[in-house]
Amino acid sequence: MSDLLERLRGRGWRMTAQRRVVAEVLDGDHVHLTADEVHARAVSRLPEISRATVYNTLGEMVSLGEVLEVSTDRRAKRYDPNAHRPHHHLVCAQCGAIRDVHPSGNPLADLSADERYGFTVSDVEVTYRGICPNCSAA
Amino acid sequence: MSDLLERLRGRGWRMTAQRRVVAEVLDGDHVHLTADEVHARAVSRLPEISRATVYNTLGEMVSLGEVLEVSTDRRAKRYDPNAHRPHHHLVCAQCGAIRDVHPSGNPLADLSADERYGFTVSDVEVTYRGICPNCSAA
DNA sequence: ATCCTACAATGGACATTGTCTAAGTCAAGT
DNA sequence: ACTTGACTTAGACAATGTCCATTGTAGGAT
């Protein structure tokens, strides 16, 4: 089940109970938990795990490129284990639900040279906003 | 000079010294100050202005649609007085410098129906990241 | 010009998210 | 089983933002 855990193990990561739990909590599709949500779920499996460890572990997974940081709102960062398929995000403006999406165009090509102001542009991040089916029904 | 101030006045905004100063500080092109930066500059003109007032005033200008909130990093929100020309942002990953940009494509059209998961998509926000000329020289 | 009153400003407490540190603990190689 | 350096912990701290009770004031009414 845990592809993420497998990949991390294969990189000589020192495996600890805490790291295992964090990786397991984070695994899955369309998963975008905040650090404190990860911590809350981790605590239910390993009650003595500390907040700092969760933050550290998430940070390491990001550095290793196994997890992406997502900032769809300006509250907490969210962590996306689906790091190996490039994608953007669709966010419900009301309830905050997030889906991974794969738009067809390439926005990098849409930025002309004179709109780059001499920057070396390397990355683009696209966030779609709207209302999810649940919220528009209510 | 202050278009922003003019527009606000024209909406029956109750004009106070504090609001005037905030509007003046914020006016201009490629301006993207954080709330505390606005506060710092406001204080130099009106020493007794409080932080809460700056936050409130910025929030009201955003509600009135005269100023945009921009979240290019996950630290402080930034406020962009250029609310009447739709645009996206180009951010230096190193020093945080921000330029307004106007890409040619329409990313909304790039999101197919089956990638919308039933959402009513109304808006898209694009952030380009790269290194600015200053930082790449250094 | 002065008075009223609703709206605005103040300052300080509080909340949330995240970082840091010093000390204790443990995984994994030998 | 030892040893060691990496990991974990708890809690203090920092940055950003919100809230509330109190005080002040802009602008209309008199």
Side-chain angles (χ1 to χ4, degrees), chain A residues 8-55:
Chain A
L8 292 170
R9 205 194 302 273
R11 290 185 179 230
W13 231 37
R14 183 158 148 186
M15 192 48 62
T16 66
Q18 291 85 347
R19 288 176 167 185
R20 199 184 331 271
V21 166
V22 169
E24 284 171 2
V25 163
L26 208 59
D27 199 42
D29 271 342
H30 295 292
V31 168
H32 307 91
L33 299 170
T34 66
D36 278 343
E37 285 166 355
V38 171
H39 181 234
R41 297 185 189 204
V43 161
S44 72
R45 300 199 197 188
L46 185 67
E48 68 279 18
I49 191 172
S50 79
R51 220 165 55 95
T53 295
V54 171
Y55 276 90

Side-chain angles (χ1 to χ4, degrees), chain A:
Chain A
M1 46 150 235
S2 182
D3 279 353
L4 176 55
L5 201 50
E6 285 310 313
R7 286 198 302 268
L8 292 170
R9 205 194 302 273
R11 290 185 179 230
W13 231 37
R14 183 158 148 186
M15 192 48 62
T16 66
Q18 291 85 347
R19 288 176 167 185
R20 199 184 331 271
V21 166
V22 169
E24 284 171 2
V25 163
L26 208 59
D27 199 42
D29 271 342
H30 295 292
V31 168
H32 307 91
L33 299 170
T34 66
D36 278 343
E37 285 166 355
V38 171
H39 181 234
R41 297 185 189 204
V43 161
S44 72
R45 300 199 197 188
L46 185 67
E48 68 279 18
I49 191 172
S50 79
R51 220 165 55 95
T53 295
V54 171
Y55 276 90
N56 289 341
T57 303
L58 290 171
E60 284 155 20
M61 295 193 302
V62 170
S63 296
L64 290 171
E66 294 296 345
V67 166
L68 292 178
E69 262 180 22
V70 179
S71 298
T72 53
D73 58 35
R74 52 211 68 72
R75 296 176 53 85
K77 293 182 225 177
R78 293 178 176 275
Y79 293 88
D80 184 337
N82 190 15
H84 293 289
R85 245 161 291 155
H87 61 277
H88 297 292
H89 293 100
L90 169 55
V91 182
C92 178
Q94 198 156 330
C95 70
I98 304 175
R99 309 293 306 199
D100 292 350
V101 295
H102 305 79
S104 55
N106 175 16
L108 272 178
D110 290 343
L111 196 64
S112 65
D114 63 322
E115 281 274 5
R116 296 191 182 207
Y117 297 97
F119 280 54
T120 305
V121 182
S122 56
D123 193 28
V124 61
E125 187 186 309
V126 181
T127 304
Y128 294 91
R129 296 186 190 282
I131 303 295
C132 75
N134 252 341
C135 288
S136 61

Side-chain angles (χ1 to χ4, degrees), chain B residues 106-134:
Chain B
N106 175 15
L108 272 177
D110 290 342
L111 196 64
S112 65
D114 63 322
E115 281 273 6
R116 296 189 181 209
Y117 297 97
F119 279 54
T120 306
V121 182
S122 56
D123 194 27
V124 62
E125 188 187 310
V126 180
T127 304
Y128 294 91
R129 296 184 191 282
I131 304 295
C132 75
N134 252 341

